[in-house]
Amino acid sequence: MSVASICKRNVETVGPAETAAGVARRLTACDVGSVVVVDERSRPMGIVSDRDITTRVVAAGRDPERTPITDVMSPMPTTVLEDTSIETALGHMRVGRLRRLPVVNGMDELVGIVTLDDILLLLAEELAAIEGLIESEVPRHETGTGGTT
C-alpha cells in the first residue's frame, strides 16, 4: 500500500516571505499543528510546527512579527513520492525521528502530507481486522464440560 492511499491532500502551506507570527495565526485559524513552506512552484522548502515557533521564536525571545519563517522552519524536509510504500515512509520517519512527511509528485510538487498518526491509525485498523480473522478461526470450547479449555 502506498502513502497516496492514506495521505491528507489538503495541506496548509505558506510562502517563504511569511513571518512566524503570520504562521502562528494560520496554525490557530486552521487548527493544525504544522504547515509546509513551499516555493512559487509548490515545492516543499521547509516544514514548521507549532513547537518550532514556541522553541525557536518565543522561548528564544525573538519578535514573531519580524522573524522570517525561513529562520524558523526545518529546511529541506524529507519528502516521499505518492507511490512510496507505507513501510518505507515509516522507515524514513524512524530514521529521521519525524512525525510528518510531505508527499510530492514526480515534479517534486506538494500533493499531500502523511503523518505518523495516519500510519498508526492504519496499523490499528489492520490489527483489528487480523484479530477478527483469528477469532473466527479459533474453535470455541465450551467451559464446564470437563474438557480442556
Side-chain angles (χ1 to χ4, degrees):
M1 182 179 292
S2 70
V3 295
S5 62
I6 65 166
C7 73
K8 291 179 178 56
R9 298 294 178 155
N10 294 328
V11 183
E12 294 301 323
T13 63
V14 297
E18 189 62 70
T19 65
V23 171
R25 286 189 286 272
R26 179 78 170 271
L27 291 169
T28 301
C30 297
D31 194 28
V32 295
S34 67
V35 296
V36 179
V37 181
V38 295
D39 67 13
E40 66 283 347
R41 293 183 47 209
S42 258
R43 295 176 301 195
M45 302 174 50
I47 192 163
V48 180
S49 70
D50 47 7
R51 186 174 191 283
D52 293 332
I53 293 172
T54 301
T55 59
R56 297 176 186 166
V57 179
V58 177
R62 298 176 73 180
D63 180 355
E65 294 290 349
R66 297 172 96 74
T67 303
I69 204 59
T70 52
D71 288 359
V72 181
M73 70 182 188
S74 297
M76 298 178 57
T78 300
T79 61
V80 292
L81 291 166
E82 293 175 278
D83 62 355
T84 300
S85 72
I86 292 170
E87 295 82 7
T88 299
L90 190 55
H92 287 301
M93 289 176 168
R94 188 179 309 114
V95 169
R97 301 184 68 198
L98 306 168
R99 295 187 53 83
R100 304 164 185 88
L101 293 174
V103 179
V104 296
N105 62 20
M107 297 186 305
D108 202 33
E109 297 166 331
L110 183 69
V111 295
I113 193 161
V114 64
T115 67
L116 184 57
D117 290 349
D118 297 330
I119 294 173
L120 291 174
L121 181 59
L122 174 68
L123 292 174
E125 291 168 355
E126 293 293 323
L127 288 174
I130 291 169
E131 177 187 29
L133 288 173
I134 291 171
E135 286 180 353
S136 69
E137 294 295 320
V138 174
R140 304 248 186 244
H141 296 288
E142 292 186 51
T143 58
T145 60
T148 59
T149 58

